[in-house]
Amino acid sequence: MRTTRIIVSAALVVAMAAAATTETAAQEADEAQVVRVEVNPSQLTLQVGEKGRITATAYDADGSVVDVPFLFFSRDGRGRLAVDRNTGEMEAFKGGEYTVRARALVPSRVGGTATVTVPYPPLDRVEISAAGGRFYSGVMVRHTAYAVDQAEDVRDLAVTWVTSDESVATVDRFGVFHAHAPGEVTLSATVEGVVGRIAYQVIDNPVTAIAVAAGQARGRTGDVVHFTATPSAADGSPVDDIPVTFGLIADPDAIATGDFPPAEVDSRGRFVAYKPGVYTVTASVPGHTAHATVEILPRHVVEEVSLVGHAPVRNVPTSDLWVWEGVDGRDYAITGTHRAHGSTYWWDVTDPANPVLTDSLVVDARTTNDVKVSEDGGVCVISREGASNRRNGIVILDCTDPRNIEIISAYDDELTGGVHNLFIHDGHVYAVNNGVRFDVINIEDPANPHRVGRFELDTPGHAIHDIWIVDGIAYTSNWGDGVAVIDVGGGGRGGSPENPVLITRFRDIGGATHAAFPYKSPTGRFYIFMGDEIGAPPFDGQEIGRTPEFMAGYIHIVDFTDPENPEEVARYEIPEAGSHNMWIEDDRLYAAFYQGGLRVVDISGELKGNLYHQGREIAVYKAYDPDGVVANAPFTWGPQMHKGNLFFSEYFSGMWAVKLEPRRALIP
């Protein structure tokens, strides 16, 4: 590994700029070489279970072949079409049409595409969302049919619904089943000639009364209020197995006029309001209805944000950051760079209003995306991607004196595909390896790092982007495979760094999990916040790092209190931007939302619905720098709280620090 030390002196900033200019010039020369990429074949058909391969060739302006490495991937084929990132080999697992991209690993991200068509296999069965059994006359319940093909893929196809005896029960084209009279009846769902069936025994409805009670009489917007319905028979005994329909009568404040629905209540009686007002929840069974009313007040959590300090990096894009208390008792921060020249910067932030650059390091890489510091503050680890010799891995550094950073060792054994993210926990580095697995590297003796374990999912086309570890449990972000929860020493499943053991997975979010953060709420509930990352042009059109991008995706909030039955209960979704990294502390979510800036959100209490509309936003801050890589273009990358100050990295302008204070009342 080649490293370049930049000596700390009065001319440090000048030296940084000079090194960056030299490296950037070399990269621009590389960029100028590749102007076109051809993918062969550009059209490919694979059957489910069949393998194939595409190749890519880069050309310069004169039409000559340029020897560059490529990255192969498919954003719409995650979990359906497995693509080897390095070779272009692929295997089809589910039907569909997918775009596979071959991107030349040069700063301009020039690439080409191929279309891979996988014919859908025949249907295997039709499953219905209910199991059948006892049903009460007068009750209506919607059913859903799932058409499953021979590749175990659930297909969205037209369904024909019928019942065997319409005098007993009928069903409409949406699967709403309505019982009319006692008797036996079969409900059938047909998809492309394949039939699924369930049987019901309809009996008389025994309910003669129903009562409903609210868990509290008053709350704030965003509070979850539980309504409990109790249907009962003539003798007063409860009828527990009859479906109850909850409804809502809203009398919101005038501020909700013409807005989105001011509140919601689900089938379990969980109510949440987005606007203040008086709300009446109804609970109904055929022939009987009860109601209860709750008053909702404004949440009032907004705070003022004041700028504390700015550590500018204006020549290259900034990636992640880490802030910690050093062994000398002072506070420090480390920032990486993205698609730049392999540089990493150290800052003294003891006075966050005046951050001081203490040292820097340039390694053989294009990107030092992730930076982490050991629990004792003595060892830093940085990730490497895009090395000139195509050997990447990690660099282990002595940061006991952040004014004199020294390289202890480097480790790249079987990490040559690139390490994008990493985490340090209890003397081990957990390194995301080439986007497909994480490797566990023992750094108890940082001069002699060695691999002790690894973990990889076995799902089709699996991938991994990030890893976070709390109390010996790893939470990995796996794009279309959602979140995996893994015992690496604290999960009670026999796991260890040498033998990571999967505890559970949650993937049913319909998104692309880029980052995950676990949080045990004071309520006793355990949530995992799962952030999407979905890029739109020009993100997929080559220009990241030169212009602000439009990003989409939101934070899914999954209740993992019962790990065997996780449930997505809430989200934080803003209309103008997509999520990136996050930090959670003391009932507050600190979220980087790219062009949407830094967001601070109240996550106290039980969570349900879209937090964005509930008055839970404490603060929004967008950092504008007229001298940034792109002028006045907030593109927030990652936040971290440290000793009452909120630090965050900005892709186009370096590291910033702000402070939050309760908003002052206008009238004492």
Side-chain angles (χ1 to χ4, degrees):
M1 181 189 67
R2 296 179 304 153
T3 63
T4 302
R5 159 66 62 203
I6 300 177
I7 303 299
V8 180
S9 68
L12 179 58
V13 175
V14 176
M16 285 171 51
T21 301
T22 302
E23 189 74 17
T24 302
Q27 291 183 10
E28 288 176 350
D30 290 342
E31 177 182 336
Q33 292 179 11
V34 179
V35 299
R36 179 171 58 90
V37 169
E38 286 188 0
V39 178
N40 184 46
S42 60
Q43 303 281 337
L44 183 64
T45 298
L46 298 175
Q47 302 299 318
V48 169
E50 187 177 1
K51 297 181 179 181
R53 184 182 181 186
I54 59 173
T55 60
T57 307
Y59 297 91
D60 63 16
D62 296 328
S64 300
V65 173
V66 181
D67 181 20
V68 295
F70 284 91
L71 174 68
F72 298 88
F73 63 96
S74 174
R75 294 191 184 279
D76 54 6
R78 290 175 177 142
R80 308 178 68 84
L81 179 73
V83 180
D84 188 292
R85 295 159 59 92
N86 299 312
T87 67
E89 296 177 346
M90 61 190 75
E91 182 176 0
F93 290 93
K94 299 182 186 298
E97 185 172 283
Y98 312 108
T99 299
V100 179
R101 292 174 172 83
R103 178 177 296 154
L105 292 180
V106 295
S108 63
R109 295 162 60 93
V110 177
T113 63
T115 300
V116 180
T117 302
V118 182
Y120 287 101
L123 292 184
D124 178 70
R125 63 191 182 279
V126 174
E127 299 176 352
I128 298 177
S129 57
R134 185 166 67 178
F135 207 86
Y136 294 111
S137 59
V139 174
M140 291 189 298
V141 173
R142 186 182 179 191
H143 294 64
T144 303
Y146 303 97
V148 185
D149 66 22
Q150 293 177 1
E152 292 298 307
D153 189 16
V154 178
R155 306 262 297 280
D156 183 13
L157 299 170
V159 181
T160 301
W161 294 93
V162 297
T163 62
S164 59
D165 188 342
E166 293 193 350
S167 67
V168 176
T170 55
V171 64
D172 67 14
R173 64 192 182 96
F174 301 107
V176 178
F177 178 82
H178 187 188
H180 302 294
E184 295 182 354
V185 66
T186 299
L187 174 64
S188 300
T190 303
V191 181
E192 294 185 352
V194 179
V195 184
R197 298 180 179 89
I198 57 173
Y200 279 115
Q201 177 71 41
V202 179
I203 64 174
D204 286 325
N205 183 357
V207 176
T208 59
I210 187 172
V212 64
Q216 60 195 71
R218 176 178 290 177
R220 300 179 300 166
T221 55
D223 288 350
V224 179
V225 180
H226 291 259
F227 286 80
T228 304
T230 309
S232 57
D235 61 1
S237 60
V239 182
D240 297 329
D241 60 346
I242 190 167
V244 175
T245 300
F246 286 94
L248 182 63
I249 302 170
D251 185 17
D253 287 356
I255 60 173
T257 302
D259 210 337
F260 49 85
E264 64 177 70
V265 62
D266 66 14
S267 61
R268 293 165 55 182
R270 295 178 297 186
F271 165 92
V272 66
Y274 298 100
K275 298 293 184 181
V278 175
Y279 298 90
T280 299
V281 171
T282 63
S284 302
V285 296
H288 304 279
T289 299
H291 66 270
T293 300
V294 63
E295 180 185 15
I296 298 298
L297 306 175
R299 198 163 188 90
H300 289 320
V301 297
V302 173
E303 294 186 358
E304 294 182 342
V305 187
S306 58
L307 174 63
V308 176
H310 179 202
V313 178
R314 293 170 169 143
N315 55 331
V316 293
T318 296
S319 57
D320 219 337
L321 85 169
W322 194 259
V323 189
W324 82 102
E325 181 179 309
V327 297
D328 59 2
R330 298 183 66 82
D331 296 319
Y332 298 97
I334 176 176
T335 57
T337 56
H338 196 253
R339 298 193 180 103
H341 50 80
S343 60
T344 309
Y345 305 135
W346 280 261
W347 313 83
D348 186 325
V349 294
T350 308
D351 177 6
N354 296 287
V356 177
L357 184 65
T358 59
D359 204 352
S360 66
L361 181 71
V362 176
V363 299
D364 182 9
R366 293 196 188 279
T367 293
T368 54
N369 181 73
D370 205 4
V371 291
K372 291 291 191 296
V373 179
S374 61
E375 296 94 322
D376 63 5
V379 175
C380 299
V381 179
I382 61 176
S383 64
R384 293 202 310 149
E385 297 173 274
S388 64
N389 60 3
R390 304 183 188 179
R391 297 187 66 85
N392 293 287
I394 61 175
V395 182
I396 303 165
L397 308 160
D398 180 352
C399 57
T400 53
D401 179 6
R403 292 167 180 77
N404 184 31
I405 298 297
E406 296 291 341
I407 295 175
I408 301 173
S409 62
Y411 189 83
D412 61 16
D413 180 45
E414 297 184 27
L415 298 175
T416 56
V419 173
H420 189 64
N421 281 304
L422 56 86
F423 202 88
I424 304 176
H425 180 72
D426 196 21
H428 294 79
V429 174
Y430 294 75
V432 172
N433 185 350
N434 198 26
V436 295
R437 71 172 191 246
F438 70 77
D439 287 26
V440 187
I441 300 143
N442 185 303
I443 60 164
E444 292 172 318
D445 176 3
N448 295 287
H450 57 281
R451 179 186 294 100
V452 296
R454 62 180 50 160
F455 180 88
E456 183 172 351
L457 291 175
D458 59 2
T459 55
H462 59 267
I464 177 175
H465 176 266
D466 204 354
I467 183 168
W468 199 265
I469 302 174
V470 178
D471 297 331
I473 300 176
Y475 303 86
T476 61
S477 303
N478 302 283
W479 297 117
D481 278 312
V483 162
V485 182
I486 303 152
D487 179 6
V488 292
R493 303 292 181 93
S496 66
E498 296 78 12
N499 179 41
V501 175
L502 179 67
I503 299 174
T504 187
R505 287 196 306 121
F506 184 81
R507 63 178 299 178
D508 299 323
I509 67 168
T513 305
H514 164 274
F517 207 108
Y519 184 60
K520 186 171 183 179
S521 166
T523 64
R525 296 185 178 274
F526 180 69
Y527 296 106
I528 298 179
F529 288 67
M530 302 167 58
D532 287 333
E533 184 185 63
I534 302 171
F539 180 77
D540 288 334
Q542 327 300 338
E543 294 300 323
I544 191 165
R546 304 195 180 278
T547 59
E549 320 300 335
F550 177 78
M551 303 297 292
Y554 57 88
I555 296 175
H556 305 251
I557 304 169
V558 181
D559 188 337
F560 265 85
T561 307
D562 178 0
E564 301 302 320
N565 296 287
E567 178 190 11
E568 184 173 353
V569 292
R571 67 173 63 181
Y572 177 63
E573 180 178 16
I574 67 175
E576 71 270 24
S579 68
H580 194 243
N581 292 344
M582 66 189 100
W583 186 275
I584 299 175
E585 188 174 313
D586 295 334
D587 270 347
R588 292 186 174 196
L589 165 68
Y590 304 94
F593 262 78
Y594 280 122
Q595 72 273 21
L598 177 71
R599 305 285 174 137
V600 184
V601 184
D602 170 20
I603 56 170
S604 61
E606 187 177 350
L607 304 177
K608 179 176 172 57
N610 189 349
L611 309 189
Y612 175 76
H613 295 298
Q614 296 174 359
R616 286 180 174 269
E617 280 196 337
I618 296 171
V620 176
Y621 190 87
K622 296 183 180 181
Y624 291 89
D625 185 350
D627 299 316
V629 175
V630 176
N632 295 319
F635 203 60
T636 312
W637 192 268
Q640 183 183 342
M641 279 296 297
H642 183 74
K643 295 185 178 180
N645 293 292
L646 178 53
F647 294 84
F648 59 98
S649 56
E650 281 285 332
Y651 190 77
F652 295 122
S653 59
M655 181 179 64
W656 299 67
V658 297
K659 197 172 188 66
L660 290 99
E661 300 286 355
R663 177 166 287 187
R664 292 168 292 181
L666 295 178
I667 301 175

